[in-house]
Amino acid sequence: TLTSSDQIITMLAAAAGPQVIFCVKLFSFLAIVTSFLGVALGCLDFIKDLLFKPAAQQAEPEEPADASVQPSRSMERGVPLAVMLAPALCVAVVAPTAFLPALEYSGTLRLMLFGILPAAMVWIGRYR
């Protein structure tokens, strides 16, 4: 029986040739990169909106927006990027083996948020 991805790749390479290893690695890399890009761009926009909210959307405008108070374009891009990447980078440097246990915890949290909680909400809504 097959127990690891290495065994599957080795069997594929033996059956179809060494190009399979390259294709599997390329597919894995592109899957991770596209997933990261989607999450990162959404998070980046959220942080940018949170940090640099336009003066027209603020609850209590105190003074008219002055040109000297407006952040520069590089600051509007760099600060949200640093805020997004700094915590993950610090955790990766301090505890490099924490990624897989964190995935397990996040899987449990997602099960509760997207599996159990919606069913409980429907049940409470129906029978209350």
Side-chain angles (χ1 to χ4, degrees), residues 63-117:
E63 296 179 11
D66 191 18
S68 63
V69 179
Q70 296 295 325
S72 67
R73 188 140 174 98
S74 62
M75 187 175 188
E76 277 190 20
R77 290 181 180 176
V79 171
L81 186 65
V83 168
M84 181 185 71
L85 293 178
L89 182 63
C90 290
V91 169
V93 168
V94 172
T97 60
F99 182 72
L100 291 179
L103 276 180
E104 291 176 9
Y105 285 117
S106 72
T108 304
L109 179 66
R110 281 181 278 155
L111 172 68
M112 290 189 306
L113 283 177
F114 302 124
I116 297 170
L117 191 61

Side-chain angles (χ1 to χ4, degrees), residues 40-57:
L41 289 174
C43 188
L44 199 61
D45 284 341
F46 173 75
I47 292 172
K48 188 188 289 186
D49 290 343
L50 187 68
L51 295 176
F52 303 109
K53 192 185 300 186
Q57 294 178 356

